[in-house]
Amino acid sequence: MKNENAPVSLGTENIGKLLMQYAIPAIIAMTASSLYNITDSIFIGHGVGPLALSGLAITFPLMNLAAAFGSLVGVGASTLLSIRMGQKDYETANDILGNVFVLNLIMGITFSVVILLFLDPLLIFFGASPDILPYAHNFMKIILFGNVVTHMYLGLNALLRSSGNPQKAMMATIYTVLINLVLNPLFIFGFGWGIKGSAFATVISQVIVLAWQFHLFNDKNYFIHWKKGIYKLKKKIVVDSLSIGMAPFLMNAASSIIVIVINQQLIKYGGDLAVGAYGIVNRIAFLFIMIVMGLNQGMQPIAGYNYGAKLFDRVTEVLKKAILYATLIMVIGFIIVQLFPHAVASIFTTEDNLINMAVPGLRWVFAMYPLVGFQMVTSTFFQSIGKPQKAIILSLTRQIIFLVPLLLILPTYFQTIGVWASMTIADFMAVILAAILLWLESKKIKSGKEASI
């Protein structure tokens, strides 16, 4: 894991080469993670049944909320790490590692305890009917018991990537996915554990890989590693990390609210199977979103380091390249879904009614995808340069201000189609806002405004 030259190369290496060096491992890792979620749903859909898919979809708000608290620490701290490395402040960089460990420990345990106390009422509020509540409960209870492991695993992986080890971060994710793919069918089909088997597979795989991550950060030759004195929470690190991480936190938290509203509206106008259809749409949509997120993860340390080093031309260059690649990725997703929606939906189930419900959802949700990549890169860019306020604005407007009113209004006239169309319209409005904010920020960067964090 020794790689002392990695931080310096972020400010000197060719931007295109750097972006590929950092983004490709992240994209592979995120794609593998998304493919696991898809195969997980396939195992559940074929091995347990269509109602189990609906039960899984009901848990999405809690999964998003858990991810929100994880990103609050992981994304914020990894961005701060990149900026501090650009400023050559390696002492603070090491303190960030210890603070991430402690913060994830506190948040992971607290979140699990609180949610477990109110699990069933929450799932019912999210839209779980008596038929699908047992599936959602059995899955989520096990996930919550392993939540602190998930937080720690994701947080350390973000630091691995930002500290100059994107390949190690990629391998951590791939190892998790491979272990999952072995354990999932074994637990579901072999042991007959049903949806519980899928949850156990997730937690066990993360425990194994977390142990490997701890080993990596135990290398005393690496410029950040476990040592005495780094575990005491420092106000500056905590405040700056949580401030930067607030944007992805609010984005995931808002996603939880959105999924609740979507599930409630789909049950109201389409029944339990409509929620299962959303589960299918969500998995496919997130495959391409996760690929762009991998690209964004590759961009983040490059943009953050060069912004901290005041190399603004390099900041602009990596932004432009990331937008171009993200757009190409989303266009591919758009073409596949628009041409082959039935084939895509049928991967998850043989239930004709469920497939027929998922097809229009796929087509509507992917309608704006050629533009969504630009919006995603823009939001991450603001996080990367330590300006979370604008990323927060982009997240909240799309998820809350734009989407919630549409979800409450359109389905009353167009039923389930109104639910799907709401997402498309909100995406378009969010792209326009992102373009305006990025244009204003680019003027400041071109003028040579110095980093303020």
Side-chain angles (χ1 to χ4, degrees), residues 286-307:
F286 262 80
L287 171 60
F288 293 95
I289 288 175
M290 293 286 268
I291 294 173
V292 175
M293 286 176 65
L295 175 67
N296 286 344
Q297 288 178 1
M299 173 191 72
Q300 178 265 315
I302 303 169
Y305 182 99
N306 285 283
Y307 190 80

Side-chain angles (χ1 to χ4, degrees), residues 158-190:
L159 294 186
L160 271 176
R161 188 178 304 105
S162 290
S163 64
N165 284 275
Q167 291 83 8
K168 293 286 197 307
M170 173 190 72
M171 292 311 300
T173 304
I174 290 177
Y175 290 154
T176 308
V177 171
L178 292 176
I179 296 169
N180 255 313
L181 289 176
V182 173
L183 296 182
N184 231 306
L186 175 65
F187 291 168
I188 293 176
F189 297 103

Side-chain angles (χ1 to χ4, degrees), residues 197-267:
S198 178
F200 275 121
T202 298
V203 174
I204 292 172
S205 64
Q206 290 175 353
V207 169
I208 294 171
V209 175
L210 178 61
W212 180 65
Q213 291 173 324
F214 268 87
H215 170 71
L216 292 177
F217 280 111
N218 204 41
D219 183 353
K220 299 298 189 294
N221 293 318
Y222 193 54
F223 76 98
I224 59 171
H225 56 267
W226 306 120
K227 64 180 180 179
K228 293 181 180 180
I230 66 173
Y231 305 104
K232 182 180 179 180
L233 292 179
K234 295 189 175 182
K235 182 178 179 181
K236 178 65 174 174
I237 292 175
V238 172
V239 171
D240 286 349
S241 295
L242 298 184
S243 174
I244 297 171
M246 189 58 65
F249 169 80
L250 290 175
M251 180 177 68
N252 282 298
S255 294
S256 297
I257 297 172
I258 293 304
V259 173
I260 293 168
V261 177
I262 289 172
N263 283 340
Q264 289 176 340
Q265 293 294 75
L266 286 173
I267 285 178

Side-chain angles (χ1 to χ4, degrees), residues 79 296 299-300 303-304 307 312 314-320 322-323 374-388 391 394 437-438 441-442 445:
T79 300
N296 286 344
M299 173 191 72
Q300 178 265 315
Y307 190 80
F312 299 118
R314 292 173 63 81
V315 174
T316 301
E317 184 179 354
V318 74
L319 171 65
K320 289 180 179 178
I323 290 174
F374 163 79
Q375 192 269 347
M376 290 181 62
V377 171
T378 300
S379 181
T380 301
F381 174 72
F382 287 129
Q383 297 170 29
S384 301
I385 63 173
K387 296 193 173 182
L394 286 175
L437 292 180
L438 184 58
E441 186 65 29
S442 65
I445 293 177

